[in-house]
Amino acid sequence: MLIKWLEPVIEANSDEINNALLNNEDKEVYENIMRIVKGNKHLSQDDVFEIENYFLLAIRNAVVVSYTSGLRDGINIYRK
């Protein structure tokens, strides 16, 4: 399928969008979450690391799913 063929482009563009989000729009959100997590004395450093990784992974997955969905929609519209 065309989407499989475009996977390298999807990955690269998703990375670019993800980085833009974390460095601009969602930077404050990310910093606030990390401040709260790091301030919790009941969490170990491993827990803090895992929470940060899960947060970053969730954002990246949302970007990939959204980008791929938009690309599919665009392809379907073009085909009509």
Side-chain angles (χ1 to χ4, degrees):
M1 179 187 227
L2 184 58
I3 295 295
K4 276 286 190 202
W5 182 71
L6 290 172
E7 268 186 16
V9 173
I10 293 170
E11 287 294 318
N13 288 348
S14 295
D15 285 343
E16 186 177 319
I17 294 166
N18 190 55
N19 289 337
L21 284 171
L22 289 174
N23 291 319
N24 297 318
E25 289 88 4
D26 288 337
K27 183 177 183 177
E28 186 176 337
V29 172
Y30 171 71
E31 288 172 349
N32 285 337
I33 288 173
M34 291 312 299
R35 179 182 48 77
I36 292 166
V37 169
K38 287 179 179 179
N40 187 328
K41 298 190 186 328
H42 300 290
L43 295 173
S44 70
Q45 287 297 341
D46 288 341
D47 290 338
V48 170
F49 181 76
E50 276 192 62
I51 290 169
E52 180 178 19
N53 280 337
Y54 287 136
F55 176 78
L56 295 173
L57 184 60
I59 289 177
R60 185 168 192 310
N61 287 341
V63 168
V64 170
V65 168
S66 298
Y67 188 89
T68 304
S69 177
L71 188 58
R72 278 193 181 112
D73 288 347
I75 290 168
N76 289 333
I77 290 169
Y78 177 76
R79 288 182 178 169
K80 290 183 181 181

